[in-house]
Short mmCIF file of all heavy atoms in Angstrom, two decimals:
data_model
loop_
_atom_site.label_atom_id
_atom_site.label_comp_id
_atom_site.label_asym_id
_atom_site.label_seq_id
_atom_site.Cartn_x
_atom_site.Cartn_y
_atom_site.Cartn_z
N GLY A 305 -0.64 1.86 19.63
CA GLY A 305 -0.60 0.45 20.00
C GLY A 305 -1.94 -0.24 19.95
O GLY A 305 -2.02 -1.45 19.69
N ASP A 306 -3.02 0.51 20.18
CA ASP A 306 -4.35 -0.10 20.10
C ASP A 306 -4.69 -0.48 18.67
O ASP A 306 -5.35 -1.50 18.42
CB ASP A 306 -5.41 0.82 20.70
CG ASP A 306 -5.38 2.23 20.14
OD1 ASP A 306 -4.38 2.59 19.47
OD2 ASP A 306 -6.34 2.98 20.38
N ASP A 307 -4.24 0.34 17.70
CA ASP A 307 -4.45 -0.02 16.28
C ASP A 307 -3.70 -1.30 15.95
O ASP A 307 -4.22 -2.19 15.25
CB ASP A 307 -3.96 1.10 15.37
CG ASP A 307 -4.79 2.37 15.49
OD1 ASP A 307 -5.98 2.26 15.84
OD2 ASP A 307 -4.25 3.46 15.24
N LEU A 308 -2.47 -1.41 16.44
CA LEU A 308 -1.70 -2.63 16.24
C LEU A 308 -2.40 -3.83 16.87
O LEU A 308 -2.49 -4.90 16.26
CB LEU A 308 -0.30 -2.47 16.84
CG LEU A 308 0.59 -3.72 16.86
CD1 LEU A 308 0.89 -4.18 15.44
CD2 LEU A 308 1.88 -3.44 17.62
N ALA A 309 -2.93 -3.64 18.07
CA ALA A 309 -3.61 -4.74 18.77
C ALA A 309 -4.85 -5.20 18.01
O ALA A 309 -5.15 -6.40 17.97
CB ALA A 309 -3.98 -4.30 20.18
N GLU A 310 -5.58 -4.27 17.41
CA GLU A 310 -6.76 -4.64 16.62
C GLU A 310 -6.36 -5.52 15.44
O GLU A 310 -7.00 -6.55 15.17
CB GLU A 310 -7.47 -3.38 16.12
CG GLU A 310 -8.13 -2.52 17.19
CD GLU A 310 -9.49 -3.05 17.62
OE1 GLU A 310 -9.88 -4.14 17.15
OE2 GLU A 310 -10.14 -2.37 18.43
N THR A 313 -5.08 -8.93 16.69
CA THR A 313 -6.19 -9.78 17.13
C THR A 313 -6.91 -10.40 15.95
O THR A 313 -7.25 -11.60 15.96
CB THR A 313 -7.19 -8.95 17.97
OG1 THR A 313 -6.53 -8.46 19.13
CG2 THR A 313 -8.39 -9.78 18.39
N ASN A 317 -6.93 -14.49 15.34
CA ASN A 317 -8.20 -15.21 15.39
C ASN A 317 -8.59 -15.86 14.06
O ASN A 317 -9.66 -16.46 13.96
CB ASN A 317 -9.32 -14.28 15.86
CG ASN A 317 -9.21 -13.94 17.33
OD1 ASN A 317 -8.61 -14.70 18.10
ND2 ASN A 317 -9.76 -12.81 17.72
N THR A 344 4.59 -3.93 23.62
CA THR A 344 3.71 -3.03 22.86
C THR A 344 2.39 -3.72 22.52
O THR A 344 1.31 -3.13 22.65
CB THR A 344 4.40 -2.57 21.56
OG1 THR A 344 5.60 -1.86 21.90
CG2 THR A 344 3.50 -1.67 20.74
N ILE A 345 2.47 -4.99 22.11
CA ILE A 345 1.26 -5.73 21.76
C ILE A 345 0.39 -5.95 23.00
O ILE A 345 -0.83 -5.76 22.96
CB ILE A 345 1.63 -7.08 21.10
CG1 ILE A 345 2.28 -6.84 19.74
CG2 ILE A 345 0.39 -7.96 20.95
CD1 ILE A 345 2.93 -8.07 19.14
N GLN A 346 1.01 -6.32 24.13
CA GLN A 346 0.25 -6.58 25.35
C GLN A 346 -0.43 -5.32 25.86
O GLN A 346 -1.59 -5.35 26.27
CB GLN A 346 1.17 -7.15 26.44
CG GLN A 346 1.64 -8.57 26.17
CD GLN A 346 0.51 -9.59 26.26
OE1 GLN A 346 -0.55 -9.30 26.79
NE2 GLN A 346 0.74 -10.77 25.70
N VAL A 347 0.26 -4.19 25.82
CA VAL A 347 -0.34 -2.92 26.23
C VAL A 347 -1.51 -2.58 25.32
O VAL A 347 -2.57 -2.13 25.78
CB VAL A 347 0.71 -1.79 26.23
CG1 VAL A 347 0.05 -0.43 26.42
CG2 VAL A 347 1.75 -2.01 27.31
N GLY A 348 -1.35 -2.80 24.02
CA GLY A 348 -2.43 -2.53 23.08
C GLY A 348 -3.62 -3.44 23.31
O GLY A 348 -4.77 -2.99 23.26
N LEU A 349 -3.37 -4.72 23.56
CA LEU A 349 -4.46 -5.67 23.84
C LEU A 349 -5.23 -5.26 25.08
O LEU A 349 -6.47 -5.33 25.11
CB LEU A 349 -3.90 -7.08 23.99
CG LEU A 349 -3.34 -7.74 22.72
CD1 LEU A 349 -2.65 -9.05 23.06
CD2 LEU A 349 -4.44 -7.96 21.69
N ALA A 350 -4.50 -4.83 26.10
CA ALA A 350 -5.17 -4.38 27.33
C ALA A 350 -6.01 -3.14 27.06
O ALA A 350 -7.11 -2.98 27.60
CB ALA A 350 -4.12 -4.10 28.41
N SER A 351 -5.51 -2.26 26.18
CA SER A 351 -6.21 -1.02 25.87
C SER A 351 -7.55 -1.29 25.19
O SER A 351 -8.54 -0.58 25.43
CB SER A 351 -5.34 -0.13 24.98
OG SER A 351 -6.03 1.03 24.59
N ILE A 352 -7.61 -2.32 24.33
CA ILE A 352 -8.86 -2.62 23.62
C ILE A 352 -9.66 -3.72 24.31
O ILE A 352 -10.70 -4.13 23.81
CB ILE A 352 -8.58 -3.01 22.15
CG1 ILE A 352 -7.80 -4.33 22.07
CG2 ILE A 352 -7.86 -1.88 21.42
CD1 ILE A 352 -7.64 -4.86 20.65
N GLY A 353 -9.14 -4.20 25.45
CA GLY A 353 -9.87 -5.22 26.21
C GLY A 353 -9.92 -6.57 25.53
O GLY A 353 -10.89 -7.30 25.68
N ALA A 354 -8.84 -6.92 24.81
CA ALA A 354 -8.82 -8.19 24.08
C ALA A 354 -7.96 -9.21 24.82
O ALA A 354 -6.89 -8.87 25.34
CB ALA A 354 -8.28 -7.99 22.67
N LYS A 355 -8.42 -10.44 24.85
CA LYS A 355 -7.65 -11.55 25.41
C LYS A 355 -7.66 -12.65 24.37
O LYS A 355 -8.73 -13.13 23.99
CB LYS A 355 -8.27 -12.02 26.72
CG LYS A 355 -7.42 -13.05 27.46
CD LYS A 355 -7.98 -13.34 28.84
CE LYS A 355 -7.13 -14.38 29.59
NZ LYS A 355 -5.75 -13.92 29.82
N LEU A 356 -6.48 -13.04 23.94
CA LEU A 356 -6.38 -13.97 22.82
C LEU A 356 -6.16 -15.40 23.31
O LEU A 356 -5.27 -15.65 24.13
CB LEU A 356 -5.23 -13.57 21.89
CG LEU A 356 -5.26 -12.13 21.35
CD1 LEU A 356 -4.11 -11.93 20.39
CD2 LEU A 356 -6.59 -11.84 20.68
N ASP A 357 -6.95 -16.32 22.80
CA ASP A 357 -6.77 -17.73 23.12
C ASP A 357 -5.42 -18.21 22.62
O ASP A 357 -5.04 -17.97 21.47
CB ASP A 357 -7.88 -18.57 22.47
CG ASP A 357 -9.25 -18.30 23.08
OD1 ASP A 357 -9.29 -17.80 24.22
OD2 ASP A 357 -10.25 -18.57 22.40
#
Side-chain angles (χ1 to χ4, degrees):
D306 51 347
D307 293 333
L308 173 63
E310 292 279 5
T313 298
N317 289 335
T344 299
I345 293 168
Q346 290 292 344
V347 170
L349 291 172
S351 176
I352 65 173
K355 188 172 180 62
L356 305 184
D357 292 339

